[in-house]
Tab-separated table of all heavy atoms in Angstrom:
chain	number	residue	atom	x	y	z
A	188	CYS	N	23.929	-12.165	2.220
A	188	CYS	CA	24.927	-13.049	2.783
A	188	CYS	C	24.273	-14.398	3.049
A	188	CYS	O	23.095	-14.594	2.751
A	188	CYS	CB	25.559	-12.450	4.045
A	188	CYS	SG	24.524	-12.482	5.521
A	189	GLY	N	25.037	-15.345	3.515
A	189	GLY	CA	24.463	-16.610	3.945
A	189	GLY	C	24.253	-17.641	2.858
A	189	GLY	O	25.000	-17.733	1.885
A	190	GLU	N	23.204	-18.418	3.036
A	190	GLU	CA	23.022	-19.640	2.257
A	190	GLU	C	22.688	-19.426	0.791
A	190	GLU	O	23.124	-20.215	-0.053
A	190	GLU	CB	21.894	-20.478	2.875
A	190	GLU	CG	22.192	-21.032	4.246
A	190	GLU	CD	21.067	-21.912	4.760
A	190	GLU	OE1	20.407	-22.588	3.939
A	190	GLU	OE2	20.835	-21.910	5.983
A	191	ASN	N	21.887	-18.426	0.487
A	191	ASN	CA	21.352	-18.362	-0.876
A	191	ASN	C	22.406	-18.244	-1.964
A	191	ASN	O	22.401	-19.034	-2.915
A	191	ASN	CB	20.307	-17.246	-0.994
A	191	ASN	CG	19.029	-17.566	-0.224
A	191	ASN	OD1	18.927	-18.621	0.415
A	191	ASN	ND2	18.060	-16.673	-0.279
A	192	PRO	N	23.324	-17.252	-1.904
A	192	PRO	CA	24.299	-17.166	-2.992
A	192	PRO	C	25.149	-18.428	-3.137
A	192	PRO	O	25.392	-18.886	-4.259
A	192	PRO	CB	25.165	-15.967	-2.602
A	192	PRO	CG	24.318	-15.166	-1.669
A	192	PRO	CD	23.501	-16.174	-0.924
A	193	LYS	N	25.556	-19.001	-2.032
A	193	LYS	CA	26.437	-20.153	-2.159
A	193	LYS	C	25.689	-21.400	-2.599
A	193	LYS	O	26.275	-22.316	-3.184
A	193	LYS	CB	27.243	-20.382	-0.872
A	193	LYS	CG	26.468	-20.925	0.309
A	193	LYS	CD	27.334	-20.883	1.559
A	193	LYS	CE	26.661	-21.570	2.732
A	193	LYS	NZ	26.917	-23.028	2.740
A	194	ARG	N	24.359	-21.414	-2.393
A	194	ARG	CA	23.583	-22.540	-2.893
A	194	ARG	C	23.353	-22.384	-4.392
A	194	ARG	O	23.472	-23.336	-5.167
A	194	ARG	CB	22.239	-22.626	-2.166
A	194	ARG	CG	21.405	-23.867	-2.529
A	194	ARG	CD	20.040	-23.876	-1.856
A	194	ARG	NE	19.202	-22.790	-2.346
A	194	ARG	CZ	18.798	-21.758	-1.605
A	194	ARG	NH1	19.135	-21.665	-0.333
A	194	ARG	NH2	18.051	-20.818	-2.134
A	195	VAL	N	23.046	-21.183	-4.823
A	195	VAL	CA	22.758	-20.943	-6.237
A	195	VAL	C	24.001	-21.168	-7.090
A	195	VAL	O	23.932	-21.809	-8.140
A	195	VAL	CB	22.230	-19.500	-6.430
A	195	VAL	CG1	22.160	-19.146	-7.908
A	195	VAL	CG2	20.853	-19.354	-5.787
A	196	TYR	N	25.149	-20.638	-6.631
A	196	TYR	CA	26.355	-20.704	-7.466
A	196	TYR	C	27.230	-21.892	-7.116
A	196	TYR	O	27.554	-22.706	-7.967
A	196	TYR	CB	27.115	-19.368	-7.402
A	196	TYR	CG	26.290	-18.267	-8.017
A	196	TYR	CD1	25.560	-17.390	-7.229
A	196	TYR	CD2	26.173	-18.175	-9.405
A	196	TYR	CE1	24.731	-16.436	-7.806
A	196	TYR	CE2	25.352	-17.229	-9.985
A	196	TYR	CZ	24.630	-16.358	-9.175
A	196	TYR	OH	23.801	-15.426	-9.762
A	197	GLY	N	27.619	-22.025	-5.855
A	197	GLY	CA	28.512	-23.114	-5.479
A	197	GLY	C	27.881	-24.476	-5.634
A	197	GLY	O	28.437	-25.381	-6.243
A	198	GLN	N	26.661	-24.606	-5.087
A	198	GLN	CA	26.007	-25.905	-5.163
A	198	GLN	C	25.397	-26.119	-6.535
A	198	GLN	O	25.474	-27.185	-7.107
A	198	GLN	CB	24.914	-25.981	-4.094
A	198	GLN	CG	24.522	-27.369	-3.674
A	198	GLN	CD	23.473	-27.308	-2.567
A	198	GLN	OE1	23.654	-26.662	-1.551
A	198	GLN	NE2	22.349	-27.972	-2.787
A	199	GLY	N	24.810	-25.063	-7.074
A	199	GLY	CA	24.090	-25.200	-8.332
A	199	GLY	C	24.996	-25.260	-9.547
A	199	GLY	O	24.713	-25.964	-10.501
A	200	ARG	N	26.077	-24.506	-9.515
A	200	ARG	CA	26.908	-24.383	-10.723
A	200	ARG	C	28.371	-24.660	-10.487
A	200	ARG	O	29.173	-24.477	-11.389
A	200	ARG	CB	26.779	-22.970	-11.293
A	200	ARG	CG	25.362	-22.655	-11.611
A	200	ARG	CD	25.169	-21.204	-11.981
A	200	ARG	NE	23.785	-20.857	-11.724
A	200	ARG	CZ	23.152	-19.836	-12.272
A	200	ARG	NH1	23.791	-19.040	-13.096
A	200	ARG	NH2	21.900	-19.591	-11.985
A	201	ARG	N	28.727	-25.085	-9.284
A	201	ARG	CA	30.136	-25.341	-8.986
A	201	ARG	C	31.012	-24.135	-9.306
A	201	ARG	O	32.142	-24.270	-9.751
A	201	ARG	CB	30.655	-26.569	-9.764
A	201	ARG	CG	30.152	-27.895	-9.243
A	201	ARG	CD	30.822	-28.214	-7.910
A	201	ARG	NE	30.380	-29.486	-7.353
A	201	ARG	CZ	29.505	-29.566	-6.366
A	201	ARG	NH1	28.955	-28.486	-5.839
A	201	ARG	NH2	29.176	-30.751	-5.882
A	202	SER	N	30.459	-22.959	-9.085
A	202	SER	CA	31.268	-21.760	-9.308
A	202	SER	C	31.183	-20.899	-8.066
A	202	SER	O	30.335	-21.122	-7.198
A	202	SER	CB	30.767	-20.998	-10.539
A	202	SER	OG	29.447	-20.539	-10.326
A	203	ALA	N	32.053	-19.898	-7.967
A	203	ALA	CA	32.104	-19.070	-6.757
A	203	ALA	C	30.857	-18.217	-6.655
A	203	ALA	O	30.326	-17.755	-7.673
A	203	ALA	CB	33.350	-18.188	-6.808
A	204	PRO	N	30.389	-17.955	-5.467
A	204	PRO	CA	30.914	-18.456	-4.192
A	204	PRO	C	30.333	-19.807	-3.826
A	204	PRO	O	29.212	-20.135	-4.175
A	204	PRO	CB	30.423	-17.395	-3.201
A	204	PRO	CG	29.132	-16.929	-3.760
A	204	PRO	CD	29.275	-17.004	-5.259
A	205	MET	N	31.124	-20.580	-3.100
A	205	MET	CA	30.647	-21.893	-2.697
A	205	MET	C	30.525	-21.985	-1.174
A	205	MET	O	29.928	-22.911	-0.657
A	205	MET	CB	31.624	-22.949	-3.226
A	205	MET	CG	31.155	-24.361	-2.995
A	205	MET	SD	32.392	-25.546	-3.555
A	205	MET	CE	31.762	-25.886	-5.177
A	206	THR	N	31.145	-21.051	-0.502
A	206	THR	CA	31.181	-21.082	0.959
A	206	THR	C	30.903	-19.679	1.477
A	206	THR	O	30.910	-18.707	0.711
A	206	THR	CB	32.575	-21.480	1.462
A	206	THR	OG1	33.515	-20.515	0.967
A	206	THR	CG2	32.961	-22.871	0.989
A	207	ARG	N	30.703	-19.566	2.779
A	207	ARG	CA	30.531	-18.235	3.360
A	207	ARG	C	31.818	-17.422	3.206
A	207	ARG	O	31.762	-16.210	2.980
A	207	ARG	CB	30.110	-18.335	4.831
A	207	ARG	CG	28.638	-18.722	4.994
A	207	ARG	CD	28.240	-18.880	6.432
A	207	ARG	NE	26.782	-18.815	6.591
A	207	ARG	CZ	25.962	-19.847	6.454
A	207	ARG	NH1	26.436	-21.038	6.142
A	207	ARG	NH2	24.647	-19.686	6.600
A	208	MET	N	32.950	-18.084	3.325
A	208	MET	CA	34.199	-17.335	3.127
A	208	MET	C	34.303	-16.882	1.665
A	208	MET	O	34.819	-15.800	1.386
A	208	MET	CB	35.418	-18.146	3.556
A	208	MET	CG	35.577	-19.503	2.912
A	208	MET	SD	36.938	-20.400	3.729
A	208	MET	CE	36.786	-21.998	2.886
A	209	GLY	N	33.776	-17.695	0.759
A	209	GLY	CA	33.736	-17.285	-0.635
A	209	GLY	C	32.810	-16.098	-0.830
A	209	GLY	O	33.101	-15.179	-1.612
A	210	ASN	N	31.685	-16.075	-0.102
A	210	ASN	CA	30.785	-14.915	-0.149
A	210	ASN	C	31.560	-13.649	0.213
A	210	ASN	O	31.517	-12.638	-0.489
A	210	ASN	CB	29.636	-15.055	0.857
A	210	ASN	CG	28.570	-16.072	0.451
A	210	ASN	OD1	28.592	-16.594	-0.665
A	210	ASN	ND2	27.642	-16.342	1.342
A	211	VAL	N	32.274	-13.711	1.323
A	211	VAL	CA	32.933	-12.511	1.848
A	211	VAL	C	34.043	-12.042	0.907
A	211	VAL	O	34.206	-10.845	0.659
A	211	VAL	CB	33.456	-12.763	3.283
A	211	VAL	CG1	34.248	-11.567	3.791
A	211	VAL	CG2	32.282	-13.058	4.218
A	212	ALA	N	34.779	-12.994	0.362
A	212	ALA	CA	35.796	-12.603	-0.619
A	212	ALA	C	35.132	-11.945	-1.823
A	212	ALA	O	35.663	-10.992	-2.405
A	212	ALA	CB	36.607	-13.820	-1.051
A	213	GLY	N	33.982	-12.432	-2.182
A	213	GLY	CA	33.239	-11.853	-3.299
A	213	GLY	C	32.867	-10.404	-3.041
A	213	GLY	O	33.025	-9.540	-3.915
A	214	TYR	N	32.363	-10.110	-1.812
A	214	TYR	CA	32.043	-8.707	-1.509
A	214	TYR	C	33.305	-7.865	-1.554
A	214	TYR	O	33.346	-6.788	-2.149
A	214	TYR	CB	31.441	-8.532	-0.110
A	214	TYR	CG	30.306	-9.440	0.281
A	214	TYR	CD1	30.396	-10.202	1.450
A	214	TYR	CD2	29.149	-9.519	-0.477
A	214	TYR	CE1	29.364	-11.042	1.830
A	214	TYR	CE2	28.108	-10.363	-0.098
A	214	TYR	CZ	28.238	-11.123	1.049
A	214	TYR	OH	27.221	-11.959	1.431
A	215	ARG	N	34.351	-8.327	-0.895
A	215	ARG	CA	35.559	-7.514	-0.733
A	215	ARG	C	36.205	-7.233	-2.083
A	215	ARG	O	36.626	-6.107	-2.362
A	215	ARG	CB	36.529	-8.176	0.235
A	215	ARG	CG	35.967	-8.283	1.658
A	215	ARG	CD	36.850	-9.106	2.567
A	215	ARG	NE	37.998	-8.328	3.025
A	215	ARG	CZ	39.102	-8.865	3.526
A	215	ARG	NH1	39.231	-10.193	3.579
A	215	ARG	NH2	40.084	-8.101	3.950
A	216	ASN	N	36.274	-8.253	-2.953
A	216	ASN	CA	36.847	-8.026	-4.278
A	216	ASN	C	36.038	-7.001	-5.050
A	216	ASN	O	36.593	-6.153	-5.767
A	216	ASN	CB	36.923	-9.341	-5.060
A	216	ASN	CG	38.147	-10.155	-4.694
A	216	ASN	OD1	39.172	-9.590	-4.298
A	216	ASN	ND2	38.078	-11.466	-4.842
A	217	ALA	N	34.743	-7.069	-4.926
A	217	ALA	CA	33.894	-6.110	-5.634
A	217	ALA	C	34.108	-4.703	-5.103
A	217	ALA	O	34.193	-3.735	-5.877
A	217	ALA	CB	32.434	-6.511	-5.511
A	218	TRP	N	34.193	-4.560	-3.792
A	218	TRP	CA	34.402	-3.226	-3.219
A	218	TRP	C	35.768	-2.669	-3.591
A	218	TRP	O	35.924	-1.457	-3.796
A	218	TRP	CB	34.233	-3.237	-1.695
A	218	TRP	CG	32.831	-3.470	-1.233
A	218	TRP	CD1	32.412	-4.441	-0.374
A	218	TRP	CD2	31.649	-2.736	-1.585
A	218	TRP	NE1	31.055	-4.357	-0.167
A	218	TRP	CE2	30.556	-3.328	-0.903
A	218	TRP	CE3	31.404	-1.631	-2.420
A	218	TRP	CZ2	29.245	-2.860	-1.016
A	218	TRP	CZ3	30.095	-1.169	-2.535
A	218	TRP	CH2	29.035	-1.783	-1.839
A	219	ILE	N	36.766	-3.543	-3.720
A	219	ILE	CA	38.100	-3.091	-4.141
A	219	ILE	C	38.021	-2.484	-5.533
A	219	ILE	O	38.548	-1.398	-5.802
A	219	ILE	CB	39.109	-4.261	-4.106
A	219	ILE	CG1	39.457	-4.603	-2.655
A	219	ILE	CG2	40.368	-3.923	-4.907
A	219	ILE	CD1	40.211	-5.913	-2.491
A	220	ARG	N	37.322	-3.169	-6.434
A	220	ARG	CA	37.182	-2.634	-7.797
A	220	ARG	C	36.374	-1.348	-7.796
A	220	ARG	O	36.644	-0.403	-8.547
A	220	ARG	CB	36.537	-3.673	-8.715
A	220	ARG	CG	37.437	-4.871	-9.025
A	220	ARG	CD	36.889	-5.771	-10.141
A	220	ARG	NE	35.573	-6.302	-9.845
A	220	ARG	CZ	34.469	-5.939	-10.487
A	220	ARG	NH1	34.502	-5.063	-11.467
A	220	ARG	NH2	33.311	-6.476	-10.156
A	221	ALA	N	35.366	-1.310	-6.948
A	221	ALA	CA	34.533	-0.102	-6.873
A	221	ALA	C	35.331	1.076	-6.342
A	221	ALA	O	35.201	2.201	-6.840
A	221	ALA	CB	33.315	-0.359	-5.980
A	222	ALA	N	36.144	0.819	-5.340
A	222	ALA	CA	36.955	1.891	-4.768
A	222	ALA	C	37.933	2.414	-5.813
A	222	ALA	O	38.184	3.626	-5.909
A	222	ALA	CB	37.702	1.389	-3.535
A	223	ASP	N	38.459	1.503	-6.608
A	223	ASP	CA	39.384	1.906	-7.667
A	223	ASP	C	38.664	2.742	-8.719
A	223	ASP	O	39.175	3.745	-9.227
A	223	ASP	CB	40.000	0.662	-8.297
A	223	ASP	CG	41.053	1.013	-9.324
A	223	ASP	OD1	42.116	1.537	-8.922
A	223	ASP	OD2	40.816	0.803	-10.531
A	224	TYR	N	37.473	2.346	-9.048
A	224	TYR	CA	36.659	3.085	-10.027
A	224	TYR	C	36.376	4.494	-9.511
A	224	TYR	O	36.484	5.476	-10.252
A	224	TYR	CB	35.361	2.318	-10.272
A	224	TYR	CG	34.445	2.882	-11.327
A	224	TYR	CD1	34.770	2.784	-12.673
A	224	TYR	CD2	33.229	3.476	-10.985
A	224	TYR	CE1	33.916	3.279	-13.653
A	224	TYR	CE2	32.373	3.971	-11.954
A	224	TYR	CZ	32.712	3.862	-13.284
A	224	TYR	OH	31.875	4.337	-14.250
A	225	GLN	N	36.039	4.566	-8.230
A	225	GLN	CA	35.754	5.889	-7.658
A	225	GLN	C	37.012	6.757	-7.668
A	225	GLN	O	36.940	7.972	-7.922
A	225	GLN	CB	35.205	5.747	-6.229
A	225	GLN	CG	34.789	7.059	-5.581
A	225	GLN	CD	33.680	7.773	-6.332
A	225	GLN	OE1	32.709	7.140	-6.750
A	225	GLN	NE2	33.826	9.072	-6.530
A	226	ARG	N	38.144	6.111	-7.401
A	226	ARG	CA	39.412	6.862	-7.429
A	226	ARG	C	39.649	7.428	-8.820
A	226	ARG	O	40.037	8.588	-8.996
A	226	ARG	CB	40.555	5.940	-7.005
A	226	ARG	CG	41.920	6.605	-6.918
A	226	ARG	CD	43.018	5.557	-6.645
A	226	ARG	NE	43.040	4.466	-7.622
A	226	ARG	CZ	43.433	4.579	-8.873
A	226	ARG	NH1	43.879	5.730	-9.337
A	226	ARG	NH2	43.400	3.529	-9.690
A	227	ARG	N	39.378	6.640	-9.846
A	227	ARG	CA	39.559	7.125	-11.221
A	227	ARG	C	38.583	8.249	-11.539
A	227	ARG	O	38.890	9.191	-12.237
A	227	ARG	CB	39.404	5.979	-12.221
A	227	ARG	CG	40.628	5.057	-12.262
A	227	ARG	CD	40.521	3.963	-13.319
A	227	ARG	NE	39.694	2.849	-12.884
A	227	ARG	CZ	38.766	2.276	-13.649
A	227	ARG	NH1	38.522	2.706	-14.860
A	227	ARG	NH2	38.074	1.267	-13.187
A	228	LEU	N	37.351	8.139	-11.037
A	228	LEU	CA	36.370	9.204	-11.204
A	228	LEU	C	36.862	10.485	-10.529
A	228	LEU	O	36.744	11.577	-11.105
A	228	LEU	CB	35.019	8.811	-10.609
A	228	LEU	CG	34.151	7.814	-11.364
A	228	LEU	CD1	32.928	7.434	-10.541
A	228	LEU	CD2	33.724	8.390	-12.706
A	229	ASN	N	37.370	10.327	-9.317
A	229	ASN	CA	37.863	11.495	-8.588
A	229	ASN	C	39.024	12.152	-9.345
A	229	ASN	O	39.112	13.371	-9.432
A	229	ASN	CB	38.318	11.104	-7.179
A	229	ASN	CG	37.162	10.623	-6.319
A	229	ASN	OD1	36.006	10.867	-6.619
A	229	ASN	ND2	37.497	9.935	-5.235
A	230	GLU	N	39.910	11.322	-9.878
A	230	GLU	CA	41.047	11.842	-10.641
A	230	GLU	C	40.560	12.604	-11.857
A	230	GLU	O	41.052	13.701	-12.167
A	230	GLU	CB	41.928	10.681	-11.124
A	230	GLU	CG	42.926	10.185	-10.103
A	230	GLU	CD	43.632	8.902	-10.590
A	230	GLU	OE1	43.469	8.533	-11.780
A	230	GLU	OE2	44.320	8.295	-9.759
A	231	TYR	N	39.615	12.005	-12.551
A	231	TYR	CA	39.078	12.657	-13.747
A	231	TYR	C	38.452	13.982	-13.379
A	231	TYR	O	38.643	15.011	-14.057
A	231	TYR	CB	38.065	11.734	-14.436
A	231	TYR	CG	37.349	12.399	-15.570
A	231	TYR	CD1	38.006	12.656	-16.773
A	231	TYR	CD2	36.029	12.826	-15.442
A	231	TYR	CE1	37.371	13.297	-17.831
A	231	TYR	CE2	35.391	13.459	-16.487
A	231	TYR	CZ	36.054	13.691	-17.668
A	231	TYR	OH	35.428	14.340	-18.703
A	232	GLN	N	37.681	13.989	-12.308
A	232	GLN	CA	37.015	15.206	-11.843
A	232	GLN	C	38.050	16.298	-11.544
A	232	GLN	O	37.889	17.458	-11.922
A	232	GLN	CB	36.200	14.874	-10.579
A	232	GLN	CG	35.236	15.939	-10.134
A	232	GLN	CD	34.072	16.082	-11.105
A	232	GLN	OE1	33.815	15.158	-11.889
A	232	GLN	NE2	33.424	17.212	-11.092
Side-chain angles (χ1 to χ4, degrees):
Chain A
C188 75
E190 294 183 33
N191 291 1
K193 72 189 187 86
R194 186 184 66 246
V195 170
Y196 295 100
Q198 203 178 307
R200 302 171 204 201
R201 287 288 180 258
S202 63
M205 186 183 264
T206 59
R207 284 177 162 86
M208 55 188 175
N210 286 352
V211 175
Y214 311 125
R215 296 172 79 199
N216 278 332
W218 291 125
I219 287 168
R220 290 191 302 111
D223 185 68
Y224 184 72
Q225 184 61 44
R226 183 187 55 71
R227 284 184 280 135
L228 285 174
N229 295 342
E230 276 172 10
Y231 173 73
Q232 192 69 19

